[in-house]
Amino acid sequence: MNISVAEIAELVGGVVCGDGATTVTGVNGLGEAGPGDLSFLGAARYLPLMADTRASAVLVPHDFADSGVPLIQVENPYLAMVAVLNHFQADLMRHPKGIHPTAVVDKNAVLGENVALGPHTVIAEGTEIGDNTIVYPGVYIGHSCQIGPDTLIYPNATIRERVTIGARCVIHGGVVLGTDGFGFAQGAKNHEKIPHVGRVVIGDDVEIGACSAIDRATFGATVVGNGTKIDNHVQIGHNVSIGTDSIICGCAGIAGSTNIGNNVTIAAGAGFAGHLEVGDGAIIAAYSGVTKSVKPGQVLFGYPAVEHTLGKRMHAALRHLPEALRRMRKLEERIVQLEGQSNGPATEDDS
Amino acid sequence: MNISVAEIAELVGGVVCGDGATTVTGVNGLGEAGPGDLSFLGAARYLPLMADTRASAVLVPHDFADSGVPLIQVENPYLAMVAVLNHFQADLMRHPKGIHPTAVVDKNAVLGENVALGPHTVIAEGTEIGDNTIVYPGVYIGHSCQIGPDTLIYPNATIRERVTIGARCVIHGGVVLGTDGFGFAQGAKNHEKIPHVGRVVIGDDVEIGACSAIDRATFGATVVGNGTKIDNHVQIGHNVSIGTDSIICGCAGIAGSTNIGNNVTIAAGAGFAGHLEVGDGAIIAAYSGVTKSVKPGQVLFGYPAVEHTLGKRMHAALRHLPEALRRMRKLEERIVQLEGQSNGPATEDDS
Amino acid sequence: MNISVAEIAELVGGVVCGDGATTVTGVNGLGEAGPGDLSFLGAARYLPLMADTRASAVLVPHDFADSGVPLIQVENPYLAMVAVLNHFQADLMRHPKGIHPTAVVDKNAVLGENVALGPHTVIAEGTEIGDNTIVYPGVYIGHSCQIGPDTLIYPNATIRERVTIGARCVIHGGVVLGTDGFGFAQGAKNHEKIPHVGRVVIGDDVEIGACSAIDRATFGATVVGNGTKIDNHVQIGHNVSIGTDSIICGCAGIAGSTNIGNNVTIAAGAGFAGHLEVGDGAIIAAYSGVTKSVKPGQVLFGYPAVEHTLGKRMHAALRHLPEALRRMRKLEERIVQLEGQSNGPATEDDS
């Protein structure tokens, strides 16, 4: 696509400095951009890159004007760039349209207006899909699901029966929602399967990354609140509840019945034992293993996870431990010597 | 569905206390249950919840009778609940039935009686599927596989060629069985692929969670024994062997040629190096990294994993390490002082 | 299949010792092999197994001749075995052939000669697929992709739009390539999605294991270099760049914008923070968490990852820490005693 600097300025509500007729065909970082690219000055620390950038135009803050290339001054270059990216992306996507003849749709499924079902999709009995929702090829949606409007479901995702998904969600390729929870009872057989008759309920504006899995509840529901974003390869166990606007990075895992609050940040690879309460705004560092409930706003690190500052101190101290053990042996020798000089130890080592 | 307390009592072999004509339509925990729900008193610690439960009926032990709601007395309320859940689940599932016209079945595949193949399934040459096995949409089963009877394969699972799966297994969505092992030789090319001509053999009553992958053997077979249950996102390398009735929780990984015994419990996120022997009944704590063979019944924790009690002590001690290093510096100062009072150290620090 | 010892010798350029007319039908390790199997003596440490092997023939080094079974002497028995495995595998595979009638191919897609598209595949607009490339059932390839020749794409893989894959690659089942990067801006909404208009570019001879995911770049490209091998369940974030001939084992994760060099080895479960530089030939031990850039050839271990030798010493020291803390308390008591004998401490403990 081809867009002029003047058109971009209009799109983002910015002010042109330089030749507004200059056109760009792509976007890139200041260091990587070449001729034809739009770039952006996202933070003061990137200022040194401005001198040498090969970009054809740059989004900059209002107080920046000094450049050999056309500029578009805006309040927040980063958010302006997001707006431009949205514009470019609309041009780059070719979402499925209409109901493909190979889609298998149960006669009791209910499709909203303008729903798109790609090739080889399956929509089972009693499932309802909201207006403008797009279902990519190979997606399976089981019976009695409720999928909201304006939701995007990428290829080969599996949505089992009785799952609810809200509006404007993005479900990525290979996701599995509503799989049985991992629960067994010691019965007649060694591990007797506990049927999971519960559901999965996903709010609005939720994103779920590729190959992530969310188990259905034993009974009741596994819940993901509005606006929560989940990265790739995340595992969410049965009866977990996650609040609104939380961020769960790649490869994290949450065991059964743990409740995660609102605006919680879980960094990559972090794991949670089951039946914990994690307060609003908590932050869990990458690769931490959380074994106890977490207070609102707490920042945890390590395994077992402790307060971030303590955890960092523990790991810094651990670096000195091999040397410290040597120093301690030396101290013991010196004390033996001193004790010898003072007629031996007054107390016997009886440990 | 709608079932009376008397009918439930008959289903689970229990005794009604109160109005047997009361009907329930769902199941839930004591704390979460509302009108119309059946609940259960699974352990004495939940007794306080009985007073306030809004459940319409509760499964209780034989020695419990004091309640405002209808009770069903049974020997084991937890197992009775499993029986009720099975009853409810049968009503909630809508498994595929028959051979869907879009299923692609090789003319040399052999289907048992009452096999169901959902839309867009593929069954390749020479594969045999046992009676009553249900294959959900989008599943691929490669050539020369043997799938037992009464097995359930959920959507978009991939079962590569020459894989054997036993009876009454559950294979969840997005599972990949029989993928090539990760093995390369230093040959003419830097990393020359070692062909994996072996197989994967899954026993009876095995469950494999969503997005888990089991690699085929280089030669011979990667084996999962009867009754073993595997959670989501588990990675099992080539030539691994797992015994019977073991439990492998989510996101665990087992590297090539490691042998896991019977009744082993592997908690979430634990990993194993290759070529280890893990004895029967061993228990590996969550997020542990096992680098050496494990004796039967051993309980391990940490990375590198050590005996659980030692591991817990190590991590408790680590909390005190930053403070301990400070105390040690203080000790060193005090000893220097003492040594000065006794005419200096008798030995030079020559380390 | 059935192949004589003489034929194997011809295949691998070896010398027959014993009866060249002996035939084998399979391959296996020295310890596991039975009648009809070919085996190999891959290293001197396996010599004791030669005496008892039940193999019908064995590949051995040129200097080995003493055996009751037919031998094939070669320079490198391990690489010769790889050649034989390739021979056997060719017989064991039944790749899809031709374009299956259920494949949905856009009229503007371009297929090379001898391309195979299995049942229920989808090839979108403008995508080009090279000669002899094989696409298994259920695979989705989005619009404007470039797939090289002689590449193998296993079932239910998802390749989103504008992804480039080179020649002779192997993409395993359930892989998701080109999914959106995980990036959100604080805008009008709490987490405003940053559109990812970049691409994924995979070189030649790359292997990507089952259920692995590679995110597309925000802009520019996420890159995997020629000859790099990626195991199952690996997560590669947006704008990551990986060099040539690197090895990334199962369940590893690489956060956004980290650059991995050539010939890097990343063991299982290791993770990398974003925006790091990892030099050529670096080796990262299993389950390590890398939080800082890594120099070429560095060997790291632990979390936060440190030099391997230091990391091993730290963990060995940690085992002694509980005991060391006890010894330190004892030292403190003894010093108090000594100080008492020398008229008390000369300095007050004011910490």
Side-chain angles (χ1 to χ4, degrees):
Chain A
M1 84 179 282
N2 215 293
I3 184 168
S4 74
V5 164
E7 286 167 321
I8 294 169
E10 198 184 323
L11 181 72
V12 301
V15 177
V16 176
C17 294
D19 181 7
T22 305
T23 59
V24 300
T25 56
V27 284
N28 218 331
L30 276 176
E32 298 79 21
D37 281 338
L38 172 74
S39 193
F40 71 114
L41 179 58
R45 68 177 177 279
Y46 297 119
L47 263 172
L49 295 174
M50 277 300 293
D52 298 324
T53 188
R54 296 162 63 232
S56 291
V58 183
L59 292 156
V60 296
H62 280 302
D63 58 1
F64 188 92
D66 178 27
S67 175
V69 298
L71 303 175
I72 303 152
Q73 294 175 326
V74 292
E75 197 176 320
N76 185 330
Y78 187 51
L79 289 180
M81 192 62 168
V82 170
V84 174
L85 287 173
N86 272 307
H87 192 73
F88 271 84
Q89 193 185 44
D91 189 62
L92 288 169
M93 299 304 289
R94 307 268 186 280
H95 293 312
K97 283 181 184 147
I99 311 300
H100 194 273
T102 61
V104 174
V105 183
D106 188 273
K107 64 180 194 296
N108 291 320
V110 180
L111 305 184
E113 288 190 19
N114 204 26
V115 163
L117 300 181
H120 314 313
T121 49
V122 176
I123 312 296
E125 179 187 349
T127 282
E128 301 182 18
I129 301 186
D131 298 348
N132 309 312
T133 283
I134 296 167
V135 181
Y136 266 75
V139 168
Y140 169 83
I141 305 182
H143 79 81
S144 309
C145 290
Q146 303 274 346
I147 314 290
D150 301 304
T151 277
L152 195 45
I153 306 179
Y154 279 109
N156 293 325
T158 296
I159 299 168
R160 289 256 312 262
E161 68 279 2
R162 299 186 298 117
V163 166
T164 295
I165 297 176
R168 297 173 304 278
C169 290
V170 181
I171 311 296
H172 285 285
V175 160
V176 181
L177 300 183
T179 191
D180 298 351
F182 194 65
F184 302 89
Q186 294 302 106
K189 281 198 274 189
N190 203 337
H191 304 300
E192 192 167 337
K193 184 174 173 68
I194 299 174
H196 279 66
V197 301
R199 303 165 60 224
V200 170
V201 177
I202 309 288
D204 297 330
D205 300 299
V206 171
E207 182 153 347
I208 303 179
C211 303
S212 286
I214 302 181
D215 289 357
R216 69 176 55 245
T218 315
F219 23 74
T222 305
V223 177
V224 179
N226 294 343
T228 283
K229 313 296 185 183
I230 298 172
D231 197 359
N232 301 346
H233 289 114
V234 170
Q235 157 65 6
I236 296 178
H238 50 175
N239 292 85
V240 164
S241 164
I242 302 172
T244 58
D245 289 323
S246 286
I247 293 282
I248 305 180
C249 296
C251 308
I254 305 173
S257 300
T258 282
N259 295 321
I260 307 282
N262 305 322
N263 294 300
V264 171
T265 301
I266 300 173
F272 292 79
H275 297 273
L276 305 182
E277 300 292 324
V278 179
D280 294 348
I283 297 174
I284 312 299
Y287 270 48
S288 297
V290 180
T291 56
K292 294 180 177 166
S293 287
V294 181
K295 295 198 187 79
Q298 258 194 311
V299 183
L300 298 191
F301 168 77
Y303 175 54
V306 295
E307 279 281 356
H308 188 257
T309 46
L310 171 60
K312 289 284 182 192
R313 272 206 314 273
M314 283 161 61
H315 280 82
L318 186 54
R319 282 183 81 109
H320 298 293
L321 181 59
E323 171 61 17
L325 292 181
R326 271 192 297 276
R327 281 160 57 199
M328 198 167 71
R329 278 192 296 277
K330 191 65 71 177
L331 281 182
E332 289 172 324
E333 290 165 19
R334 288 160 73 185
I335 288 190
V336 166
Q337 200 109 32
L338 285 167
E339 288 169 339
Q341 292 164 9
S342 354
N343 306 319
T347 54
E348 287 300 313
D349 186 337
D350 56 1
S351 69
Chain B
M1 87 179 278
N2 215 293
I3 184 168
S4 74
V5 164
E7 286 167 319
I8 294 169
E10 197 184 324
L11 181 72
V12 300
V15 176
V16 175
C17 293
D19 181 8
T22 305
T23 59
V24 300
T25 56
V27 284
N28 218 330
L30 276 175
E32 299 80 21
D37 281 338
L38 173 73
S39 193
F40 71 113
L41 179 59
R45 67 178 178 279
Y46 296 119
L47 263 171
L49 295 175
M50 276 301 293
D52 297 324
T53 189
R54 296 163 62 233
S56 291
V58 183
L59 292 156
V60 296
H62 280 302
D63 58 2
F64 188 93
D66 179 26
S67 175
V69 299
L71 303 175
I72 303 153
Q73 294 175 326
V74 292
E75 197 175 321
N76 185 331
Y78 186 52
L79 289 180
M81 192 62 168
V82 171
V84 174
L85 287 173
N86 272 309
H87 192 73
F88 271 84
Q89 193 185 43
D91 189 63
L92 287 170
M93 299 303 288
R94 308 267 187 281
H95 292 313
K97 283 182 182 145
I99 312 299
H100 195 272
T102 61
V104 174
V105 183
D106 188 272
K107 64 181 193 297
N108 291 319
V110 180
L111 305 184
E113 288 190 18
N114 203 27
V115 163
L117 301 181
H120 314 312
T121 49
V122 175
I123 313 296
E125 179 188 349
T127 282
E128 301 182 18
I129 300 186
D131 298 347
N132 309 312
T133 283
I134 296 168
V135 181
Y136 266 75
V139 168
Y140 169 83
I141 305 183
H143 79 82
S144 309
C145 290
Q146 304 273 346
I147 314 289
D150 302 304
T151 278
L152 194 46
I153 307 178
Y154 280 109
N156 294 325
T158 296
I159 299 169
R160 289 258 311 263
E161 67 280 1
R162 299 186 299 116
V163 166
T164 295
I165 297 176
R168 297 173 304 279
C169 290
V170 182
I171 311 297
H172 285 285
V175 160
V176 181
L177 300 183
T179 191
D180 297 351
F182 193 65
F184 302 89
Q186 294 301 107
K189 281 199 274 190
N190 204 336
H191 304 300
E192 192 168 336
K193 183 173 173 69
I194 298 175
H196 279 65
V197 302
R199 304 165 60 224
V200 169
V201 177
I202 308 287
D204 297 331
D205 300 299
V206 171
E207 183 153 348
I208 303 178
C211 304
S212 286
I214 303 182
D215 289 356
R216 69 177 54 246
T218 314
F219 22 75
T222 305
V223 177
V224 179
N226 294 343
T228 284
K229 312 296 186 186
I230 298 172
D231 197 0
N232 301 346
H233 289 114
V234 170
Q235 157 65 6
I236 296 179
H238 51 176
N239 291 86
V240 163
S241 164
I242 301 172
T244 59
D245 290 323
S246 287
I247 293 282
I248 305 180
C249 296
C251 308
I254 305 174
S257 300
T258 281
N259 295 320
I260 307 281
N262 305 322
N263 295 300
V264 171
T265 301
I266 300 172
F272 293 79
H275 297 273
L276 305 182
E277 299 293 324
V278 179
D280 294 349
I283 297 175
I284 312 299
Y287 270 49
S288 298
V290 180
T291 57
K292 294 180 177 165
S293 287
V294 181
K295 296 199 186 78
Q298 257 193 311
V299 182
L300 298 191
F301 168 78
Y303 174 55
V306 296
E307 279 282 356
H308 188 257
T309 46
L310 171 59
K312 288 285 183 193
R313 273 207 313 273
M314 283 161 60
H315 280 83
L318 185 54
R319 282 183 81 109
H320 298 293
L321 181 59
E323 171 61 16
L325 292 182
R326 270 193 297 275
R327 281 161 56 201
M328 198 167 73
R329 276 192 297 276
K330 191 66 71 179
L331 281 182
E332 288 172 324
E333 290 165 18
R334 289 160 71 185
I335 288 191
V336 166
Q337 199 109 31
L338 285 167
E339 288 169 338
Q341 292 163 8
S342 354
N343 306 317
T347 53
E348 287 298 313
D349 185 337
D350 56 2
S351 68
Chain C
M1 85 179 281
N2 215 293
I3 184 169
S4 75
V5 165
E7 287 167 320
I8 293 168
E10 198 184 323
L11 181 72
V12 300
V15 178
V16 175
C17 293
D19 181 6
T22 305
T23 59
V24 301
T25 56
V27 285
N28 217 330
L30 277 176
E32 298 79 20
D37 281 339
L38 172 73
S39 193
F40 70 114
L41 178 58
R45 68 177 178 278
Y46 297 119
L47 262 171
L49 295 175
M50 277 300 293
D52 297 324
T53 189
R54 297 163 61 233
S56 291
V58 183
L59 291 156
V60 296
H62 280 303
D63 58 1
F64 188 93
D66 178 27
S67 174
V69 299
L71 302 175
I72 304 152
Q73 294 175 325
V74 292
E75 198 176 319
N76 184 330
Y78 187 51
L79 289 180
M81 192 63 168
V82 170
V84 174
L85 287 173
N86 272 309
H87 192 75
F88 271 84
Q89 192 185 42
D91 189 63
L92 287 170
M93 297 305 287
R94 308 269 186 279
H95 292 312
K97 283 180 182 147
I99 310 300
H100 194 272
T102 61
V104 174
V105 183
D106 188 272
K107 64 181 194 298
N108 291 319
V110 180
L111 305 184
E113 288 190 19
N114 204 27
V115 163
L117 300 181
H120 314 313
T121 49
V122 175
I123 313 296
E125 179 188 348
T127 282
E128 300 182 20
I129 301 186
D131 298 347
N132 310 312
T133 282
I134 296 168
V135 181
Y136 266 75
V139 169
Y140 169 84
I141 305 182
H143 78 82
S144 309
C145 290
Q146 303 274 346
I147 315 290
D150 302 303
T151 278
L152 196 46
I153 306 178
Y154 280 109
N156 293 326
T158 296
I159 299 168
R160 289 256 311 262
E161 67 279 1
R162 299 185 299 117
V163 166
T164 295
I165 297 176
R168 298 172 304 279
C169 290
V170 181
I171 311 297
H172 285 286
V175 161
V176 182
L177 300 182
T179 191
D180 297 351
F182 194 65
F184 302 89
Q186 295 301 106
K189 281 200 273 190
N190 204 338
H191 303 301
E192 192 168 336
K193 183 174 174 68
I194 299 174
H196 279 66
V197 302
R199 303 166 61 224
V200 169
V201 176
I202 309 287
D204 297 331
D205 300 299
V206 171
E207 182 153 348
I208 303 177
C211 304
S212 286
I214 303 182
D215 290 357
R216 69 176 55 246
T218 315
F219 22 75
T222 304
V223 176
V224 179
N226 294 342
T228 284
K229 312 296 184 185
I230 298 172
D231 198 358
N232 301 346
H233 290 114
V234 170
Q235 156 65 4
I236 296 178
H238 49 175
N239 291 86
V240 163
S241 163
I242 301 173
T244 59
D245 289 324
S246 287
I247 293 282
I248 304 179
C249 295
C251 308
I254 305 173
S257 300
T258 281
N259 295 319
I260 307 281
N262 305 322
N263 294 299
V264 170
T265 301
I266 300 172
F272 293 79
H275 296 273
L276 305 181
E277 300 292 323
V278 179
D280 294 349
I283 297 174
I284 312 300
Y287 271 49
S288 297
V290 180
T291 56
K292 294 180 177 165
S293 288
V294 181
K295 296 199 186 77
Q298 259 195 309
V299 182
L300 298 190
F301 168 78
Y303 175 54
V306 295
E307 279 281 357
H308 187 257
T309 46
L310 171 60
K312 289 285 183 193
R313 274 207 313 273
M314 282 162 60
H315 280 83
L318 186 54
R319 281 185 82 109
H320 298 294
L321 181 59
E323 170 61 16
L325 292 182
R326 271 192 296 277
R327 282 161 55 201
M328 199 168 71
R329 278 192 296 277
K330 190 65 73 177
L331 281 183
E332 288 172 327
E333 290 165 20
R334 288 160 72 186
I335 288 190
V336 166
Q337 200 109 33
L338 285 167
E339 287 169 338
Q341 291 164 8
S342 350
N343 305 319
T347 54
E348 287 299 314
D349 185 338
D350 55 3
S351 69

